[in-house]
Structures are given as C-alpha cells and as structure tokens.
Amino acid sequence: MRNEGKSELLSPAGNPEKLKSAVLYGADAVYLAGKAYGMRAASGNFSDEELIWAVNYCHERGVRLYITLNVMPRTAEYPALEKYIKFLSDIGVDAVIVSDLGVFSLVREIAPKLEIHISTQASAVSAASCNAWYKMGASRVVLARELTFREILDIRNNIPKELELEAFVHGAMCISYSGRCLLSNYFTGRDANHGACAQSCRWIYSPSKVLDLAESNRPDEKSAVSVIEDGGDTFFMSSRDTSMIEHIRELEESGITSYKIEGRVKSAYYTAVVTNTYRMALDSYRRDPAGYSTDPLWIRELDSVSHREYGTGFYFTPPHENANTVTMHGYIREKAYLATALETSDTADKDGLYDALFIERNKLVGGEKVELISPGKTGRGFTADTLRDENGNSIESAPHPGMLFKLKVPFPVYEGDILRGGE
C-alpha cells in the first residue's frame, strides 16, 4: 500500500532494467505494460515471464505495480485481451490502467477483484466524470493533463474521499487532448491510440518561408499557434516537458494521491535520476513542511537528463492562456551514463577511498571528471584517476560496453549506484 497514507511517487518502467532503477531510487509504485495493449509500443515492455518476475520483485520490496491496458482495442482484439486480463489477475498485479469503456467492463466481468485506474486517455476533467467512474467501480482516476490546480482542488472537494486522484508531475506533454492524438495516424498510419505514436508533433518542419497563421475569414487575427523558423526549420506543435520540482508544496496540498512521472521510453538513467530527485524533494518536505525550500541541486539533477525545455504544464494557467510550446527545437541531452556499480563497497582503505566494481555503459577514460549518484543523494563529483580492469591492472580507459572495471571512489558505493559524466 501507499507509504503511511501519503501520496505515492509513481515511476515508469519500460523494461526490467528501468523497473529496477525505479524501485532502487525510491518509487512507491511503478507502471508498465506487457507486449500488447499499452500506449508505449516503443518501450521494450515485458513478456509474460517478465511480468511474473516484476510482480514478485516489486512486492518483495513493498512497491505496487500497475499494468497499462489503455489502448482502444478493436472487436477482434477482445478474445486475446480477455485471456491477458485473467493472467494479470492471477499473477497479482495491483491495478490495471484503462481508458476504454469496453475494456473497463471486461475487467469488471472477468476479474472483479482487480483494481481499476482510469487512464488520462479517458480525459477526466470534472468531478462528475470522476464520480461516474467511481460508481462503476474505479478506485482511481488519472486526471487529464489540461487541468489547473484550482480545478483539481474543485474535483477533490466534490468526490468521495475513497476515490484516488493521479496526476502527471514530470515528463513529456502531448499536443492533443490528454494524449488522444490523430496526427501520427494521419501522417504515417501508426495509430497513437494503439501505442504506436510516431511523435509527429516533434518533427522538424521546413516551410518555404516563415508564416504567421491566420484563419481565412479573420485575416487580421493571428492564430493562437505561430509558425517559428529557427535556422531554416520550424516547429509549432512541440510542447515543453513538465517539471513540478519547484512546486512540491502545492502538490502536497492539492489532494492528489499519486504523482506520476512520464517516460517509459526514456533511459534507465532518466528513470533513476528523476525518481531519485522527486523522492528527495518529497521526503524533505514531509520532514519539515514549514522550513521546506527547493534545493538548487535537485534542479541540476533534472537538467542532467534528456528533456525539452521545462514548464509547469497547465497547473497554473489553463491551456488557452499558456504558451507551453518550446522555443528551441529538439532535446537537451542528458549527461553520459558511464557505468553501474555491481557490488557494495563501504569500507575505506588507508587513503579514505572505496574500491568499487562497475559494469560499463559508455566509454570512460582515466582522469575524466565523473559523478556518482546514489539513492537519496545528488551527484557527487570526483576524478576517475585510478582506473583498473577487473583483475586490478591499471588501464587507460574502459572502452567497451559491458566491460567490468574497478575504480577508487571517495564515497561509499552501493550496488546499483550510477557513474555519470561530470563537469
């Protein structure tokens, strides 16, 4: 169950490696998909055998696990879906995330004890909608991303206290309504509502000239969407990523039950760092609400992962008032994910250094500035000047992914700690 009745931190798990990162770095719950019926087909996702492992792995560590069933399936898909729902119920997942009324009804019919969360795809924007889902048997509603804090508070005050509310607090936004998008299908034939989004809103468009869009019957009025040229390219649909790390107090006072991090397609490094950062912020607030303030190091951590320009979504302004599209194209790239610690090393040598074994992800050169990330701590910098192979022989670099190497670190190192590029 959720930690002492407090709002949970819910992290994405696109594959088993990312699930381990989410759990190790502080998630109270994770959400993921099997090989079908989820809205992120581009993730590695989980085979049936991996789902069984995932449930056991999470439950052994007191973490809840939710399965996405939020596509909008056609009639021919229902026989296989029925078998899949029975399987999920049998292995003990904590909830399924559903957007389609037919899927909802099927879950209620064949797995009546299985908890149902209503996906953001269902576009719940009112207490009336939430109450309707609750009366049908839903235990949680994932709110539409178009809501402001004031609207969320109004919903919270007009629904049963037993009905949980979940909201996105970090990650990518869509130029669509709560993720219901037709652009990908129109341009490529890849159905976003079946999890195959081509992210057409992120493409680079190259106009023959810079345009100010105006509706034909109102030529003197500029469109709310401007076409901006930048170095010969243009973008007008790409939204900023949401980051609410500077608004933990407002989140904690909002009545939201679950804080959701978007990013099943992102890296294990992204999952670890973002989960770790929000875990630190939430724990800090809960220890001392009156004295709480945002640590600038948390912002630095979130700047280290792959992201677009950050904004606060629609929490403070409604969609029609919010300039929430990017001003520069593309991602701000994350720091290099160099290696992961394989063993715990918490005994220092005579020089106060800890001898740690790592498995490489990206090339590391001796003498390079690096940082170590541990659960509950921001990146701590040092110089990798004692690089050795797994047998203890001095080496100039660790050039091959999967290579084992040893490094002396000026801090205790624990299994699962991340080594990344420094400054």
Side-chain angles (χ1 to χ4, degrees), residues 25-48:
Y25 282 87
D28 298 308
V30 296
Y31 65 102
L32 53 95
K35 294 296 185 180
Y37 309 114
M39 286 297 291
R40 289 294 180 269
S43 301
N45 296 322
F46 290 72
S47 66
D48 287 355

Side-chain angles (χ1 to χ4, degrees), residues 154-219:
D154 286 344
I155 291 173
R156 180 73 272 172
N157 291 332
N158 288 282
I159 62 174
K161 64 179 181 179
E162 295 82 10
L163 179 59
E164 299 180 345
L165 297 178
E166 180 178 306
F168 285 89
V169 300
H170 193 93
M173 296 277 282
C174 298
I175 297 295
S176 61
Y177 200 87
S178 295
R180 291 198 179 200
C181 181
L182 302 177
L183 287 173
S184 175
N185 216 349
Y186 175 78
F187 284 120
T188 69
R190 290 170 52 180
D191 189 350
N193 297 312
H194 258 65
C197 181
Q199 292 199 322
S200 303
C201 62
R202 313 295 187 197
W203 291 357
I204 300 173
Y205 293 85
S206 300
S208 57
K209 60 180 180 179
V210 181
L211 302 175
D212 286 324
L213 295 184
E215 201 275 326
S216 60
N217 292 326
R218 300 170 180 83

